[in-house]
Amino acid sequence: MRQGDLVSATSLSRADVETVLDHAAAIAADPESWRERHAGTLLALCFFEPSTRTRMSFDAAMKRLGGDTVDMGHVESSSVEKGESLADTVRVIEGYADALVLRHPSEGAARMAAEYVDIPLINAGDGAGQHPSQTLLDLYTMREATGLDEVTVGILGDLKYGRTVHSLAEALTEFDARMHFVSPRSLRLPRSVRYDIEDAGGEVREHEDLNPVLSDLDVLYVTRIQRERFPDESEYREVAGKYRIDDETLAAARDDLTVMHPLPRVDEIDSAVDTTDHARYFRQAHNGVPVRMALLDLLL
Ligand code: NCD
């Protein structure tokens, strides 16, 4: 973030996170006074993978700051179909906009692309790598719900391919959070993420069952099994539907447990949970706008 890009959560210090979250809270408290702040600014949206929340909330955030967006559109209708390289694509787009948001299926794509452009670049997901702007809105939501000090967080689901998990876990080490990682054996955290957590002084506590740790949790962060990343559909079928959070599961949880999910969900949280006080995932998605407004304002 210090070079004007946001590529990975590993580069976010506690002070960086607090700066963005405080700024987002100030914006959320008085959105009207930011309406003209970035009039004339253009943000490029380059999504090489499907997106609803990330694309639309960046779009809304830029427009609510008085700016506008230019969208690369679907990959099938862009020159990528003609064989253009990512490096060329971003170098061209750099000439059209003041900042760039990139989502790409290859891990490392955002870091590579950032080498080619001088405008701020935000990684909106690079394959099974990182998704740091999601982490900022996750932390904002967590701070609103429980505070970030001495928080105990359970992270459940696809810890191997889930990029939101990698970014969130690394950022939580900055807050000395106690983390429990719950997944099938085949979907445990990648070694590189474990090492980053341990290097930062965090402890990686791994479990296959949620029940033994559920009552300790302040926050349960549920994730979707990332079907599109599995090299083999039969491997996906082995783990699909393994965890399902419903009223029965939550009967063993603390009354003040906060349930989060980056969304989209498939079947990992029963819709009956939506109307309970535990559910924070829709608010979490809505927080994407003030948090991305704050991020854009700071990077621009
Ligand atoms: C996530 C992503 O794209 O990594 N979605 C999002 O940005 N909110 C999570 C997912 O797709 O499961």
Side-chain angles (χ1 to χ4, degrees):
M1 203 164 128
R2 268 166 233 95
Q3 286 88 44
D5 297 316
L6 180 60
V7 168
S8 151
T10 324
S11 64
L12 288 173
S13 68
R14 183 178 175 130
D16 288 333
V17 172
E18 283 172 345
T19 301
V20 179
L21 304 199
D22 290 346
H23 199 44
I27 291 172
D30 181 19
E32 279 310 312
S33 64
W34 298 84
R35 288 279 184 261
E36 298 299 322
R37 173 86 170 197
H38 288 283
T41 299
L42 275 180
L43 177 67
L45 303 174
C46 309
F47 283 73
F48 291 76
E49 273 193 342
S51 173
T52 305
R53 275 148 290 274
T54 307
R55 181 204 293 261
M56 289 189 72
S57 64
F58 268 115
D59 193 12
M62 191 69 256
K63 289 172 178 166
R64 290 203 184 277
L65 287 167
D68 209 340
T69 55
V70 275
D71 193 327
M72 189 184 81
H74 293 293
V75 172
E76 309 84 67
S77 60
S78 75
S79 283
V80 174
E81 279 292 289
K82 302 180 188 168
E84 185 170 52
S85 70
L86 177 62
D88 281 2
T89 303
V90 294
R91 273 185 291 193
V92 169
I93 291 171
E94 175 177 33
Y96 303 155
D98 305 294
L100 196 159
V101 178
L102 175 69
R103 170 170 288 186
H104 197 276
S106 306
E107 208 169 318
R111 186 168 305 285
M112 187 280 272
E115 295 294 327
Y116 287 91
V117 298
D118 290 326
I119 58 173
L121 183 142
I122 299 168
N123 179 8
D126 60 323
Q130 292 266 328
H131 192 351
S133 71
Q134 176 71 40
T135 294
L136 291 168
L137 75 92
D138 293 343
L139 294 175
Y140 182 87
T141 306
M142 226 178 262
R143 188 171 82 164
E144 270 184 340
T146 62
L148 289 172
D149 288 314
E150 291 175 36
V151 68
T152 301
V153 183
I155 305 184
L156 172 88
D158 188 344
L159 313 185
K160 179 178 182 181
Y161 297 118
R163 54 197 176 195
T164 68
V165 170
H166 306 158
S167 291
L168 179 64
E170 291 183 10
L172 279 171
T173 60
E174 287 286 313
F175 293 87
D176 301 324
R178 201 178 157 78
M179 292 183 274
H180 292 283
F181 296 96
V182 186
S183 72
R185 281 189 74 75
S186 61
L187 296 181
R188 289 191 300 185
L189 282 179
R191 202 171 291 203
S192 61
V193 178
R194 295 175 53 104
Y195 287 164
D196 282 342
I197 294 169
E198 285 164 355
D199 275 354
E203 196 181 320
V204 178
R205 300 172 190 82
E206 297 183 301
H207 317 269
E208 271 185 76
D209 280 334
L210 175 62
N211 275 340
V213 294
L214 181 58
S215 60
D216 292 340
L217 305 180
D218 299 303
V219 176
L220 176 61
Y221 188 94
V222 184
T223 63
R224 175 179 71 87
I225 308 289
Q226 308 280 298
R227 181 178 196 161
E228 66 277 24
R229 310 260 179 249
F230 282 69
D232 178 345
E233 178 71 17
S234 68
E235 271 180 52
Y236 169 75
R237 279 198 300 271
E238 265 174 43
V239 286
K242 178 153 166 67
Y243 302 103
R244 185 171 166 83
I245 305 303
D246 56 18
D247 285 342
E248 206 181 316
T249 326
L250 294 177
R254 294 207 332 238
D255 288 345
D256 61 355
L257 172 75
T258 296
V259 178
M260 295 175 57
H261 190 308
L263 303 178
R265 75 174 142 182
V266 181
D267 55 5
E268 55 279 358
I269 302 180
D270 188 277
S271 59
V273 177
D274 300 356
T275 49
T276 68
D277 290 340
H278 297 296
R280 276 271 175 168
Y281 27 91
F282 290 111
R283 179 160 178 94
Q284 180 184 356
H286 297 161
N287 284 338
V289 175
V291 171
R292 290 181 166 124
M293 285 171 78
L295 179 62
L296 289 170
D297 186 47
L298 291 166
L299 290 176
L300 287 161

